[in-house]
Amino acid sequence: MALIVLGCTMVFPALSYAQVDQSTSAQEPGGGGKFIDRLSIRTNVVDWLITVPNISFGFDLTPGPYNNQSVLWGLKWNWNTYHKMPSYYVFNVFDTRAEYRYHFRFTERQKGEKPNFFSLKRAHPRPWLAHYLGAYADFSTFSIKPGTMGRQGWQAGAGISYGIEMPLYQYKTGAIDLELGASAGVTAATYNYYELTEGNTSYRLIGEAFMVLPVITELRAVLSWRKHSVKDKYQVSDPEIPRFRGALGDMRSSMAKTTKKAFDEAALKADRKRYAESDSLYRAAFVEWVEGDMASEKNKLAFANITPEHQKQIADEIDRLGKQVIRDFDAELRKKHQAEKKEQHAKEAEAKKAEKAKQAEEKKAEAEVKKAAKEAEKAAAKEAKETKAKEAKVKETKKEKVQKEKKEKK
């Protein structure tokens, strides 16, 4: 069975080539952004050797030869198959698995560099060999009855994968790659025990179990078909990235000078006076200045040694930074207006407070005048009363004197 699968995977690309235009061979190494360029169709020869048909699909998360991440989904199915052995021999398996992989290659260690196991540098690297580390999760059901005892149930697990990939056969419309690897992790399984009855006619349930244990879940000798061989994929570094980052850094450094402070310092004295009198005029002039800087930075991109996609990313970043500068300018204007309003409110509050204090002083002075007038009136009334009392006493004294004189004359 394994030889049949291997033969089919080797013949299929050759047959497909006969139906495709010859010009398709001139493709970008590693593939472009098309779906087929990022897809791989795979089968594990080890599983075929134990009579388990299987297929899996891989997909690169980003296009091009410098992608280093992929996802896989696989399926194994060997259920209720026909065989000529006695009916009490059963080997049924259904398994599905999802996996994430990070691909990498070793590079040559420079003279004088110290060996480091965790580094990706080696003294004698194999540039045609791609490595990967992965994380997987799987679920399966099984019914295994090899003789007098049997087990049937399900399991779920997760763990890590490691392996290598290398080119095997190259065709004009595709390539066959070889992958060798293994997966190990922790699995949780629940299943029933069965025992073969007398007469070998059926099984009877004798118990059930649940267990969690570490286990090697898969050994792989995989043949995978790709539009572009693994030798053109998962390369170490993209020379475009440093150029892109350099152009992006230069742009950001230049745009960092596009600020309100720089605009104010560059403005003429007469312009500053006009801007101080009209915020709308001030803002219009600033926006025009910022847009001029943005246009100048975008014009520089035509001379940058980067791809159109990266030019567009930088142009989008220029737009974002320019809008942010204008938003900051508007925020400062709002802050200024708020401060002016706050100062105006404070002055008005102080004026009202002073007015109230003045009115209070006037009322107090008026009250004191009224109080003084009342006291003076009261004093005058008292003095008039005392004067009247004195006059009455004088009259009384005179009357007594007159009466006394009359008595003396008699």
Side-chain angles (χ1 to χ4, degrees), residues 81-121:
T81 56
Y82 171 78
H83 55 78
K84 294 183 179 182
M85 292 184 292
S87 59
Y88 49 80
Y89 291 122
V90 177
F91 179 50
N92 291 338
V93 175
F94 168 80
D95 180 87
T96 183
R97 168 184 296 239
E99 185 170 335
Y100 164 83
R101 289 182 177 182
Y102 180 84
H103 305 263
F104 59 93
R105 294 178 186 269
F106 290 123
T107 57
E108 186 173 2
R109 187 170 61 241
Q110 299 298 320
K111 186 177 181 179
E113 287 187 284
K114 295 182 179 180
N116 186 343
F117 177 79
F118 298 99
S119 170
L120 296 181
K121 294 186 177 182

Side-chain angles (χ1 to χ4, degrees), residues 200-271:
N200 299 336
T201 58
S202 63
Y203 282 86
R204 67 170 177 268
L205 178 65
I206 60 174
E208 59 183 21
F210 174 79
M211 64 179 182
V212 178
L213 71 162
V215 64
I216 296 175
T217 57
E218 189 175 50
L219 297 175
R220 289 184 295 277
V222 173
L223 296 173
S224 60
W225 179 87
R226 290 185 171 96
K227 186 73 178 296
H228 303 273
S229 173
V230 71
K231 70 182 180 65
D232 297 322
K233 290 179 172 288
Y234 315 129
Q235 299 299 322
V236 176
S237 61
D238 185 353
E240 166 70 9
I241 298 301
R243 295 197 297 268
F244 166 65
R245 289 175 178 169
L248 185 62
D250 292 343
M251 180 277 296
R252 284 176 173 166
S253 176
S254 181
M255 287 292 291
K257 301 175 183 178
T258 307
T259 62
K260 177 179 177 297
K261 182 179 179 181
F263 175 72
D264 291 341
E265 291 176 351
L268 299 175
K269 187 174 181 180
D271 291 333

Side-chain angles (χ1 to χ4, degrees), residues 263 267 270-279 281-282 285 336:
F263 175 72
D271 291 333
R272 293 180 195 173
K273 185 177 180 181
R274 290 189 299 116
Y275 299 155
E277 296 173 350
S278 173
D279 286 340
L281 180 64
Y282 187 18
K336 173 190 171 185

Side-chain angles (χ1 to χ4, degrees), residues 357-369:
K358 183 179 178 181
Q359 291 176 357
E361 288 292 333
E362 290 176 351
K363 288 182 178 179
K364 185 178 179 181
E366 186 179 350
E368 288 179 354
V369 169

